[in-house]
Amino acid sequence: MNGGLRLPINLATRPLKNRRLFRTAVGVLVVLFILLGGGAGALLLRSSARRQADDKAAADLELRIQAAGKERAEKTGQSEAMKKRNTDLVSEVNGVIARKNFSWVDFFSRLEQALPPNCSIAAVNPLLLSGTSLHIAMKVITPDLSELLALIENLTALKFKDVTMRNELTGGGRLISEIGFVYDGSH
């Protein structure tokens, strides 16, 4: 152990020998610091550029969202205006469709079933057709009051609704009566 390598403990006794080592170590640290600082600066610049691009894209998306919201509100307003404007037209078209789908054959066949043998219909006046319901006023000629009551009972039995007597006249030995009722075409 006596003949081994000895490290000088007092570095101040030989400062010239150790100065080169310290300069090299400090130089390596300075170069390493400059390289790391340059890399950090490059990362900082690149992340700053990305942040600016992201901010610009976010602002663009925000403008698009606002424009889409305005467009949606505008379309909703137009839809409501069209709905208000076309309500009358739509109800008229629905009324035409309901009148087209109404079965007049079924109505008259039921009316014929309800009519007693000695009675006849003088006039049929459809007052209002709403959906499948038809409000009717008709004049019938009957020989007497019992036949008129039989007609009213038959109408009620055949599901004619709100059968009412409106007017009654006598003439030529016959009874002329005006009857009102509602026929529901869905039965």
Side-chain angles (χ1 to χ4, degrees):
M1 283 218 198
N2 286 341
L5 180 67
R6 288 184 69 213
L7 289 175
I9 296 185
N10 188 1
L11 296 177
T13 56
R14 297 188 193 125
L16 292 181
K17 276 185 162 182
N18 293 327
R19 197 180 279 171
R20 194 182 319 152
L21 174 68
F22 290 120
R23 281 185 183 167
T24 306
V26 169
V28 167
L29 288 177
V30 167
V31 169
L32 187 61
F33 179 75
I34 289 173
L35 287 176
L36 289 176
L43 285 175
L44 179 66
L45 288 175
R46 195 164 64 181
S47 68
S48 175
R50 279 188 185 168
R51 190 189 81 229
Q52 287 177 351
D54 289 346
D55 289 345
K56 185 177 178 182
D60 185 43
L61 286 175
E62 186 65 34
L63 288 175
R64 285 184 182 182
I65 289 170
Q66 289 175 356
K70 287 179 184 177
E71 184 178 350
R72 183 182 60 192
E74 182 180 308
K75 296 294 181 186
T76 302
Q78 287 176 353
S79 171
E80 291 297 322
M82 287 176 72
K83 190 185 294 183
K84 287 178 184 176
R85 188 176 65 224
N86 294 330
T87 300
D88 294 335
L89 177 64
V90 168
S91 63
E92 184 67 30
V93 168
N94 286 339
V96 168
I97 291 170
R99 284 192 298 274
K100 184 175 178 164
N101 289 336
F102 185 80
S103 175
W104 288 99
V105 173
D106 186 46
F107 167 71
F108 283 114
S109 68
R110 282 184 184 224
L111 195 58
E112 188 177 354
Q113 288 174 5
L115 199 61
N118 295 335
C119 298
S120 61
I121 298 173
V124 175
N125 186 12
L127 300 175
L128 175 67
L129 176 63
S130 60
T132 59
S133 295
L134 177 66
H135 296 266
I136 298 286
M138 75 175 187
K139 287 186 181 181
V140 292
I141 301 172
T142 59
D144 57 10
L145 187 59
S146 64
E147 293 290 328
L148 179 62
L149 291 175
L151 173 63
I152 292 173
E153 288 174 2
N154 290 344
L155 287 172
T156 306
L158 287 172
K159 308 271 193 246
F160 288 94
K161 297 177 185 174
D162 301 330
V163 180
T164 58
M165 182 76 140
R166 296 189 179 177
N167 195 1
E168 185 178 319
L169 298 169
T170 56
R174 296 202 156 240
L175 193 60
I176 301 171
S177 305
E178 187 175 341
I179 299 174
F181 57 89
V182 176
Y183 170 70
D184 189 9
S186 64
H187 290 246

